[in-house]
Amino acid sequence: MLEFHDVTVQFPGQATPAVDRVSLKIERGDCYGILGQSGAGKSTLVRTVNLLQVPTSGYVMVSGQKVDGSLSKGDLRSLRLKIGMIFQHFNLIKNASVFENVAFNLKASGADRATIEAKVPQLLAAVGLKGKEQVYPPSLSGGQKQRVAIARALANDPEILLCDEATSALDPDTTSEIVALLKQLKEERNLTVLFITHQMEVAKKLFNKVALMQRGKVVETASTYDFFARPQSPYGQLLVKQYQHDLLPDELWSNEPELYEIIYKLDHAFDSVMAEAMHRFEVDLNILGGRVEYIGGKPLGRLIISIARCPNAALKQEVLAFLAQSTYLTKLEAPKDAEA
Ligand code: ADP
């Protein structure tokens, strides 16, 4: 559906490429997330899909069509009709009504007045803004503005929706609403979504696959579940760890010098590993935090534990080895900021 082949973008005067030989394959129906800190090259990469940014080398394939600087104006126009895009700051026309904002993309594709009159209210109803046609953007909330932007992006029935930090300017509740709306629209309209974000929470809720970018390079690709359960790259491990740390109170670190995280492997979800370890080794395992998250409908159980009443280091190693047989076990380190 959407493939990046060795895409590089080098801006003049920059020491290193903003995007460095990126190859990725996004399948039809994916909700594919690109994660990474600010400046990693995510926006620049995504902008190559509709040639808002021409790659220095490499190319993108969209539905079997090669997209690079050699595309004719006509081909570029029809390519852009297949691709909707939404942004962090909505990019609405402030002094045009909601109706006119959504109609803008229909006019651009040559739709006649009757089509526009019929389609705009349908699009607004689909994003939960029925009857808001004559409102102007400044009197809308952030979430409503993004809904208008989504209606506008979907105006020409695109196959692909590109989302550039589309929830990053929204509060957590509104973010959840927009995530739910995007999920629903993706199903209803058979969209393929490519979404870039630095928000781990959005990744967990929305994406089925993720790619992780660092300094222009893709350093890891995985299903979202596998990424959160077992990140493979050092940078991925750092990000997931930092995300988990944010869920633990700071006091825990001063009171408990040695914390371990255990993640139940799927086939061992919530069995009696802990009870058995305590019984067998006569130690106490204290549960200090934990939760079960659902990623793509699959449970991912995490517990933060410490080991008490353990007389010596050798026994502790035995306990840890026992736990590691049926769980993924990691020793946690006190939080430090993930580097960009
Ligand atoms: P992200 O979306 O991950 O925050 P960007 O793609 O916006 O990252 O930026 C990647 C790098 O490219 C940054 O160092 C940024 O300063 C640089 N960059 C982005 N756009 C331009 C441009 N038009 N000209 C020069 N440098 C740019």
Side-chain angles (χ1 to χ4, degrees):
M1 183 71 194
L2 183 55
E3 291 173 22
F4 296 89
H5 289 266
D6 238 359
V7 171
T8 294
V9 177
Q10 172 75 58
F11 290 113
Q14 301 272 346
T16 52
V19 174
D20 196 355
R21 304 195 60 176
V22 168
S23 294
L24 284 178
K25 197 170 179 180
I26 290 112
E27 320 247 10
R28 187 178 294 276
D30 271 347
C31 194
Y32 202 109
I34 299 184
L35 281 171
Q37 300 298 95
S38 179
K42 306 182 298 294
S43 273
T44 306
L45 177 71
V46 165
R47 287 161 59 86
T48 63
V49 175
N50 50 10
L51 279 192
L52 290 177
Q53 177 65 54
V54 180
T56 315
S57 61
Y59 61 94
V60 182
M61 296 287 287
V62 178
S63 307
Q65 182 185 19
K66 189 170 173 181
V67 175
D68 63 7
S70 66
L71 220 58
S72 73
K73 271 200 171 136
D75 285 346
L76 182 57
R77 201 169 156 273
S78 54
L79 170 83
R80 285 186 176 158
L81 287 178
K82 281 190 222 163
I83 302 171
M85 191 159 183
I86 57 175
F87 305 88
Q88 178 173 4
H89 296 296
F90 326 120
N91 297 10
L92 300 178
I93 309 163
K94 284 197 186 69
N95 54 4
S97 67
V98 164
F99 182 97
E100 288 158 347
N101 265 284
V102 178
F104 185 84
N105 275 16
L106 289 165
K107 282 183 195 157
S109 70
D112 60 27
R113 196 71 210 164
T115 307
I116 294 173
E117 296 281 349
K119 203 157 181 192
V120 172
Q122 284 171 13
L123 287 159
L124 289 176
V127 298
L129 289 181
K130 199 169 174 204
K132 296 277 186 209
E133 282 82 349
Q134 297 316 320
V135 177
Y136 281 72
S139 54
L140 294 174
S141 68
Q144 288 173 321
K145 284 179 193 162
Q146 196 56 295
R147 285 169 191 263
V148 177
I150 293 169
R152 181 182 58 185
L154 298 179
N156 292 306
D157 302 313
E159 296 168 19
I160 297 171
L161 183 64
L162 305 178
C163 308
D164 187 346
E165 297 279 2
T167 52
S168 300
L170 305 173
D171 63 60
D173 286 348
T174 312
T175 294
S176 298
E177 286 171 25
I178 295 294
V179 163
L181 175 67
L182 288 171
K183 271 185 163 174
Q184 180 196 336
L185 292 170
K186 180 193 136 6
E187 293 306 321
E188 287 170 3
R189 293 169 176 258
N190 296 321
L191 292 167
T192 301
V193 177
L194 181 59
F195 196 118
I196 65 183
T197 185
H198 67 279
Q199 295 172 297
M200 301 288 269
E201 203 57 34
V202 170
K204 212 178 64 190
K205 286 184 183 157
L206 188 58
F207 310 148
N208 62 322
K209 293 177 196 156
V210 293
L212 183 59
M213 276 187 88
Q214 185 185 32
R215 296 186 204 102
K217 289 189 164 68
V218 167
V219 294
E220 176 162 0
T221 56
S223 75
T224 308
Y225 189 91
D226 288 348
F227 176 67
F228 278 94
R230 303 286 292 154
Q232 298 298 308
S233 64
Y235 185 53
Q237 287 162 3
L238 196 66
L239 281 188
V240 171
K241 214 183 259 183
Q242 188 190 33
Y243 169 69
Q244 296 307 332
H245 281 147
D246 289 346
L247 305 174
L248 294 174
D250 287 344
E251 300 83 58
L252 208 54
W253 295 100
S254 35
N255 299 341
E256 293 287 347
E258 285 197 11
L259 295 178
Y260 297 88
E261 179 192 67
I262 56 176
I263 297 177
Y264 287 110
K265 295 176 185 172
L266 267 183
D267 48 349
H268 281 90
F270 309 111
D271 60 10
S272 55
V273 179
M274 296 273 290
E276 204 181 321
M278 286 194 269
H279 179 70
R280 186 184 291 205
F281 300 103
E282 295 186 350
V283 295
D284 284 340
L285 299 179
N286 298 323
I287 299 177
L288 300 163
R291 60 182 191 167
V292 186
E293 305 173 285
Y294 284 81
I295 298 179
K298 282 196 277 181
L300 175 60
R302 281 178 201 281
L303 291 183
I304 310 295
I305 60 165
S306 69
I307 304 175
R309 215 161 54 87
C310 186
N312 62 61
L315 182 64
K316 182 181 275 182
Q317 285 316 312
E318 277 188 58
V319 174
L320 293 173
F322 175 79
L323 290 173
Q325 280 170 16
S326 40
T327 67
Y328 296 115
L329 180 132
T330 324
K331 185 169 191 291
L332 293 176
E333 285 150 31
K336 53 178 185 271
D337 288 340
E339 44 132 19

